[in-house]
Amino acid sequence: MSDQTRFILDQSDLPREWYNVNADMPVPPTPVLHPQTMEPVTPDFLSVLFPMELIMQEISTERYIEIPEEVREIYKLWRPTPLLRARRLEKMLGTPAHIYYKNEGTSPPGSHKPNTAVAQAFYNKVAGTKALTTETGAGQWGSALAMACNFFDLDLEVYMVKVSYNHKPYRRIMMETYGAQVFASPTDRTQFGRSVLDENPDSPGSLGIAISEAVEVAATSNGTKKYSLGSVLNHVLMHQSIIGEEALKQMDMAGEYPDVVIGCVGGGSNFSGLAYPFLRQNLRDGQRTRLLAVEPNATPSLTRGVYTFDYGDSAKMAPIVKMHTLGHNFVPAPIHAGGLRYHGMAPSLCALFDAGYIEAKAVSQLATFEAAIQFARSEGIVPAPESAHAIRAAIDEALEAKEKGDRRVILFNLSGHGNFDMTAYQAYLAGELQDYDYPAKEIEEAMKSLPKVELPA
Ligand SMILES: Cc1ncc(COP(=O)(O)O)c(C=O)c1O
């Protein structure tokens, strides 16, 4: 075997289609419900927030959807992204395992998020939208959409979770550099934001609250603004499938096939983006790759949340979906992986996890930063704290392989770099970070405010 480290695709190998897991779902879909009537949502309801083309993608069961040329042209600024064999990390761990990672941190804003941001901005532009609203947790999504809106000449309002706004001023400045307006959520610009501030003027904010604010602004704009979400929805997961499609070709170049594919999960988009094309190979081609989603102990929606119908946001304006949830009122501890703090998870991923097609595990904050430091010191890249959850799990797999003496092939998604996350690294290096397990009684309490959904038998 050669000692190649980087597996680079030519620009002409850039995939021409996204993969839609809906075509191959081995479990029946669950309905998406209107937050007030609790009846299945109609395209009309969704069209207040999204352009019709994205709504059609949301419900499509076509296996492949063509990537528009305008989107591919922008993807070419950084795609195909490199696949690397982490030889130096393998050596540091003394493991017989082969560790590969897909580096999505090479996009201009630094994560996988532009894969869907560019597509969403494009379809909005074509539909005549003039402005978008969105929320952002860590700032990666906001930066990605700010870049994309700038390319398509759309205005953008970003509602940034207050704790991240304060921790990460440079992310805000990056969004402003691309031309977006950024507000610390909860704000006094929306009815919902004001109600949160009345109750708690010091609210640190949450993704659920910021989503509510961005949705409210779009829904009350008389059609002048649409809303854009960076994870959870089917069409977002589908746009991210370009990661896995490239990785399949690159693993082929490396002459190996992964035994396990790993990604961190916030709403589920980078994990699904890498894993769903491998799931397709499991379902249709007889492969047996394990697919492992990794979340923080502090926001354990898959591993400890309840699989039930819940609202997508705190103000109960977004549709109700069936997912593993910690409750739509969830206000998480200010852990440093800001992008993993959502109360729920993509419905397709939850259904696949529930049916045993996907595995999940939760890891602690300190063990995650320990893995991030090992990765930075062996491979040279300072990972985003979100991505470090995947690294933790990849290292655990490699150490288990060492113990058992097996030559496991591990592939994980490096969903972003951590160059704007120095406050978190500073806190870790100063010994100021702590582990935090989400209390069981909070989950129990939150389940009391779930919507009362009764489906026909
Ligand atoms: C670098 C990075 N990785 C992962 C995530 C989690 O999102 P998702 O589960 O949609 O990939 C985020 C979200 O902000 C992020 O910024």
Side-chain angles (χ1 to χ4, degrees), residues 239-273:
H239 298 153
Q240 294 295 354
S241 66
I242 191 160
I243 305 173
E245 295 297 357
E246 287 178 6
L248 274 164
K249 295 186 192 177
Q250 289 163 304
M251 289 303 305
D252 205 37
M253 285 169 84
E256 302 212 79
Y257 197 85
D259 297 305
V260 57
V261 167
I262 302 171
C264 67
V265 284
S269 76
N270 88 87
F271 168 75
S272 312

Side-chain angles (χ1 to χ4, degrees), residues 111-113 138 140 230-231 264-271 339-340 384 386-387 415-416:
S111 79
H112 64 296
K113 297 284 180 181
Q140 287 272 21
S231 190
C264 67
V265 284
S269 76
N270 88 87
F271 168 75
L340 304 185
E386 291 82 5
S387 320
S415 55

Side-chain angles (χ1 to χ4, degrees), residues 79-336:
R79 301 209 74 86
T81 60
L83 178 89
L84 280 97
R85 168 112 179 253
R87 291 180 185 275
R88 295 175 55 87
L89 177 64
E90 289 168 14
K91 200 163 168 207
M92 180 188 260
L93 300 172
T95 178
H98 291 185
I99 308 175
Y100 292 86
Y101 62 96
K102 185 77 169 143
N103 189 357
E104 290 295 306
T106 55
S107 78
S111 79
H112 64 296
K113 297 284 180 181
N115 297 333
T116 183
V118 171
Q120 292 192 47
F122 167 76
Y123 288 115
N124 269 289
K125 184 68 184 180
V126 170
T129 307
K130 298 278 179 273
L132 287 178
T133 69
T134 197
E135 68 292 324
T136 194
Q140 287 272 21
W141 166 242
S143 314
L145 192 62
M147 179 189 80
C149 282
N150 163 64
F151 286 153
F152 289 105
D153 200 18
L154 296 167
D155 289 340
L156 175 64
E157 282 177 35
V158 183
Y159 292 81
M160 185 171 188
V161 178
K162 193 184 281 170
V163 58
S164 301
Y165 185 95
N166 293 336
H167 273 147
K168 303 179 80 172
Y170 296 126
R171 272 284 165 202
R172 168 175 62 75
I173 295 164
M174 187 181 211
M175 290 183 257
E176 290 170 351
T177 303
Y178 287 129
Q181 277 184 292
V182 188
F183 307 101
S185 165
T187 72
D188 59 6
R189 295 171 56 83
T190 65
Q191 206 181 351
F192 186 67
R194 287 189 293 275
S195 74
V196 174
L197 289 173
D198 281 350
E199 218 167 275
N200 177 11
D202 298 323
S203 168
S206 72
L207 267 181
I209 296 170
I211 293 173
S212 296
E213 291 208 273
V215 167
E216 182 183 322
V217 172
T220 56
S221 71
N222 290 324
T224 59
K225 297 172 187 172
K226 297 273 184 210
Y227 166 72
S228 172
L229 186 64
S231 190
V232 181
L233 299 173
N234 283 336
H235 67 263
V236 179
L237 272 48
M238 185 188 77
H239 298 153
Q240 294 295 354
S241 66
I242 191 160
I243 305 173
E245 295 297 357
E246 287 178 6
L248 274 164
K249 295 186 192 177
Q250 289 163 304
M251 289 303 305
D252 205 37
M253 285 169 84
E256 302 212 79
Y257 197 85
D259 297 305
V260 57
V261 167
I262 302 171
C264 67
V265 284
S269 76
N270 88 87
F271 168 75
S272 312
L274 178 63
Y276 281 1
F278 287 92
L279 173 74
R280 176 191 65 215
Q281 301 307 98
N282 282 357
L283 295 171
R284 295 175 59 81
D285 202 34
Q287 296 289 354
R288 301 171 64 101
T289 301
R290 289 168 48 225
L291 308 170
L292 176 60
V294 192
E295 60 188 9
N297 273 341
T299 57
S301 17
L302 279 177
T303 51
R304 289 178 55 212
V306 178
Y307 187 40
T308 185
F309 283 92
D310 196 6
Y311 300 99
D313 69 329
S314 303
K316 307 180 189 173
M317 294 176 76
I320 296 170
V321 293
K322 190 168 183 191
M323 59 183 174
H324 285 81
T325 178
L326 299 166
H328 57 275
N329 292 327
F330 176 66
V331 178
I335 61 153
H336 281 279

